[in-house]
Amino acid sequence: MRRADRLFQIIQVLRRTRKPLTAEAIARELETSKRTIYRDIATLIGQRVPIRGEAGTGYVLEKGFDMPPLMLTPDEIEAAVLGAQWVAGRADPVLAKAAQDLIAKIVDTVPERLQPLALEPASGTPPKWDLPPESIDMTQLRAHIYASKKILLHYRDEQGRDSKRTVWPIAVGYLETVRLLAAWCELRQDFRSFRIDRMTDAEFLDEKYPERRAALRAKWMQSFSLNNVRER
């Protein structure tokens, strides 16, 4: 690996985590020596890259550091295009269009020699899902997740029974052929997963739920790891 590429990769490794990384860990990932990493980090610090830390305790990249946009490696281009292809075939229309726009921006931004990686990628995704249009506003659903606001769901289960549930939305998940809303259900007083294709309507309430979104998400992740969240 050229030294310039290695310096770039060190920044990438550091910006990927918030915890201090030792020179040994960085050297192991980049398949080089600790001495080389120490020397390269000294060079980066000398170039005013805001790296904080010291040998033995580890290094972190301070917030606010920014590199020129879309300095992407070939593998990063392929990963971004593959992910965008998947979203374009499985997400709601707004996100699907955003994924197509992302691929176009990558093609327009990367050097000409790298454009074939986006235009004719070596990797691909399965055919897009053939699902009926959602009966709820997915853009508003995502907005309520970010805003930590409650939603009153009108839901029909697999037996055709209708119910209404006030939920605290956490995240939209994608399974093989369906999308799910993970949420805290006020009726069940527990985490539940709701199939989006079984939602017949949704009332987006202005009321915030009482818990911080990050804390609720952490509890949900812990619950999910211990016991798969049940539907409804």
Side-chain angles (χ1 to χ4, degrees), residues 62-183:
E62 294 184 343
K63 294 181 179 179
F65 176 71
D66 194 21
M67 292 188 297
L70 286 183
M71 288 181 57
L72 301 178
T73 67
D75 287 342
E76 289 169 343
I77 293 172
E78 186 159 356
V81 171
L82 182 63
Q85 287 177 341
W86 196 94
V87 172
R90 286 157 179 76
D92 59 88
V94 173
L95 279 187
K97 184 179 183 301
Q100 294 167 348
D101 290 343
L102 173 60
I103 294 175
K105 286 182 179 180
I106 291 174
V107 172
D108 288 343
T109 307
V110 300
E112 185 176 355
R113 63 183 176 81
L114 296 178
Q115 289 179 356
L117 297 172
L119 292 171
E120 302 171 1
S123 304
T125 60
K128 65 181 297 185
W129 287 350
D130 185 17
L131 294 178
E134 290 91 0
S135 56
I136 65 170
D137 186 337
M138 291 296 295
T139 300
Q140 187 63 50
L141 174 60
R142 290 195 298 275
H144 261 55
I145 291 174
Y146 288 124
S148 303
K149 290 184 176 181
K150 298 182 181 182
I151 301 173
L152 177 59
L153 290 181
H154 298 240
Y155 196 75
R156 180 169 296 148
D157 66 16
E158 59 185 346
Q159 282 81 38
R161 296 173 299 192
D162 292 323
S163 64
K164 293 183 180 181
R165 304 292 184 89
T166 298
V167 302
W168 307 355
I170 300 170
V172 175
Y174 291 76
L175 300 185
E176 289 295 327
T177 57
V178 297
R179 304 185 199 118
L180 300 175
L181 172 66

Side-chain angles (χ1 to χ4, degrees), residues 170-171 182 191 213-229:
I170 300 170
F191 295 106
R213 179 182 170 225
L216 184 66
R217 186 181 180 93
K219 290 179 181 178
W220 168 67
M221 292 294 292
Q222 183 179 21
S223 172
F224 189 83
S225 64
L226 295 175
N227 181 24
N228 286 343
V229 179

